[in-house]
Amino acid sequence: MNAIIPDYVTPDAETAAILAKARAGQRLTPDEALILAVAAPLHEWCGAAMTARLARHGRNAYYVHNVHINFTNVCVNACRFCAFFKAKGAAGARTLSVADIVAALDARGDAPIREIHVVGGLNPELPLEYYLDMLRAIGQARPDAGIKAFTAVEVAHLADTRGVSEYDILGALADAGLMMLPGGGAEVFAPALREKLCPEKISGERWLQIHATAHGMGLPTNATMLFGHIENWADRIAHLSALRDLQDLTGGFTCFIPLAYQPANNALGAKGPDGVTVLRLMAVSRLFLDNIPHLKAYWAMLGIKAAQMALWAGADDFDGTIVEERIGHAAGADSPKGLTLPELRQAIEAAGMVPVERTPDFRPLT
Ligand code: V47
């Protein structure tokens, strides 16, 4: 039996030495992180991540009163893992007008929303002016909220269709009210995997370069990694390593979000991560990404129960109310589509953490 199932309970000498380094808060090399991620006993590994989390954030678990708006599901990229996109004219294809978006926000009444999270497909029929009008209209409708909008993939699409630089696009979006970029579109950076997962999408290099440009302009951004499909631990560590290297240069990433792959209704057909992989990845993210302040347990993709456990493996953020999550749910996520503020706080408290409301860029409100 031991020949098949590795002994995850007693670390060997090499693993024990790297664990001691992690516990002492020393920077791990990619090779060391890989060894720990696959070989360290889970309780030791999560314990080290928990120590790092407590040192940075105590028992705080941040959350945000937010709304997700997906303004179009029409997309020319056809990523194999995505169940959200539709081809132009296909059944279920939908694009919101700016007036629709304002109406959806008005429908929330006087709820004190702090974050509007806006992402959509690459719909070639939407000009840059639509994006700028949308930002201005959201800003007018919700002056107290910050707008976190448009992935690097959308920024590249706008730059390419408009024939201008990404710097120009980001500048125009910022002038119209953009506060920060969300972390989507990173998937897994390894080119060979991208070829299988999302061959039409921008490269990992371009994704990183757009975030670097945003950071240089003073726009903070988040970062994601889609995990639990066809990637392995070496791919995951290489992805984290690219993020850490950029963060050493710019300091512009606010939060890292491991996105648990949801397997239904798409062309990829892989399985999705198990619970132990979720905990191992959370722990390695907290310990390896020593320069990115926040780590999100994104309940919409993880499910509430795994997200609560992730708070004990290094995560310090629980995202927000969301109201209607569409991307994960199109692919079969069995979490709720949204949570009320009391439900969100209760989930955090039941996990033994202290809920702290925050802004999109993680300024605490309570
Ligand atoms: O980029 C697509 C992913 C992302 C699937 O920055 C899938 O605060 C799982 O980036 N299974 C969009 N994931 C979501 C995202 C995000 C969410 C919440 C907060 C923030 C933030 C960012 O969703 C896409 C893609 O990587 N995705 N299909 C799927 N089947």
Side-chain angles (χ1 to χ4, degrees):
M1 189 165 173
N2 279 346
I4 304 167
I5 302 175
D7 177 1
Y8 282 140
V9 177
T10 317
D12 62 22
E14 184 188 29
T15 311
I18 307 171
L19 256 175
K21 198 175 161 186
R23 281 198 180 280
Q26 291 169 21
R27 180 166 269 209
L28 299 174
T29 67
D31 285 347
E32 290 169 340
L34 185 54
I35 290 170
L36 288 191
V38 297
L42 186 59
H43 61 295
E44 299 262 13
W45 189 215
C46 289
M50 190 63 188
T51 303
R53 178 227 197 279
L54 289 172
R56 260 178 192 269
H57 303 293
R59 282 169 58 218
N60 289 352
Y62 299 95
Y63 69 95
V64 62
H65 191 169
N66 67 352
V67 174
H68 279 206
I69 295 173
N70 301 115
F71 53 93
T72 184
N73 59 3
V74 175
C75 189
V76 293
N77 262 359
C79 299
R80 308 303 180 260
F81 51 78
C82 181
F84 172 72
F85 84 93
K86 302 279 179 201
K88 180 187 161 189
R94 79 194 245 288
T95 297
L96 302 180
S97 67
V98 171
D100 292 334
I101 292 168
V102 172
L105 292 175
D106 287 347
R108 307 299 304 157
D110 56 5
I113 296 164
R114 293 295 183 162
E115 173 184 282
I116 320 277
H117 169 113
V118 188
V119 293
L122 306 186
N123 180 345
E125 291 189 351
L126 299 176
L128 177 61
E129 287 67 26
Y130 166 88
Y131 291 76
L132 301 178
D133 288 349
M134 185 202 304
L135 288 171
R136 289 189 204 102
I138 293 174
Q140 262 178 8
R142 291 284 168 175
D144 295 334
I147 309 175
K148 177 183 66 170
F150 314 130
T151 65
V153 179
E154 293 168 273
V155 172
H157 168 75
L158 287 171
D160 292 348
T161 50
R162 190 79 170 197
V164 298
S165 70
E166 291 138 0
Y167 178 90
D168 289 340
I169 295 294
L170 288 166
L173 296 171
D175 286 348
L178 180 72
M179 176 195 251
M180 65 185 290
L181 294 187
E187 320 313 354
V188 184
F189 293 141
L193 286 184
R194 259 180 133 71
E195 196 51 45
K196 292 185 184 143
L197 293 169
C198 48
E200 292 86 4
K201 194 165 243 169
I202 59 169
S203 66
E205 259 174 34
R206 191 165 176 201
W207 187 98
L208 288 161
Q209 178 254 309
I210 291 169
H211 281 257
T213 305
H215 298 170
M217 301 169 72
L219 281 173
T221 74
N222 289 341
T224 58
M225 176 173 71
L226 184 66
F227 74 102
H229 42 90
I230 57 172
E231 87 292 0
N232 61 30
W233 275 108
D235 301 319
R236 293 171 187 153
I237 302 294
H239 187 101
L240 298 185
S241 201
L243 292 175
R244 189 173 78 174
D245 288 349
L246 178 56
Q247 182 74 343
D248 276 342
L249 295 175
T250 67
F253 287 122
T254 304
C255 181
F256 175 62
I257 308 145
L259 291 170
Y261 168 66
Q262 309 296 312
N265 310 320
N266 63 26
L268 190 61
K271 209 166 120 234
D274 58 38
V276 169
T277 302
V278 169
L279 293 182
R280 284 189 174 276
L281 182 59
M282 286 292 166
V284 74
S285 301
R286 178 62 288 154
L287 290 166
F288 188 75
L289 297 177
D290 55 357
N291 54 2
I292 299 187
H294 298 284
L295 174 63
K296 184 173 301 197
Y298 187 42
W299 60 261
M301 303 286 190
L302 292 173
I304 309 280
K305 292 175 187 172
Q308 287 175 309
M309 290 190 289
L311 293 176
W312 286 83
D316 64 282
D317 185 62
F318 217 73
D319 200 80
T321 43
I322 300 181
V323 180
E324 187 165 4
E325 199 286 328
R326 290 171 182 272
I327 297 172
H329 284 81
D334 62 4
S335 57
K337 287 190 171 179
L339 291 177
T340 63
L341 283 173
E343 285 169 342
L344 201 50
R345 285 193 282 256
Q346 195 275 334
I348 292 170
E349 280 168 357
M353 300 295 168
V354 179
V356 177
E357 190 178 354
R358 63 164 175 86
T359 60
D361 53 349
F362 282 84
R363 278 175 293 121
L365 290 167
T366 45

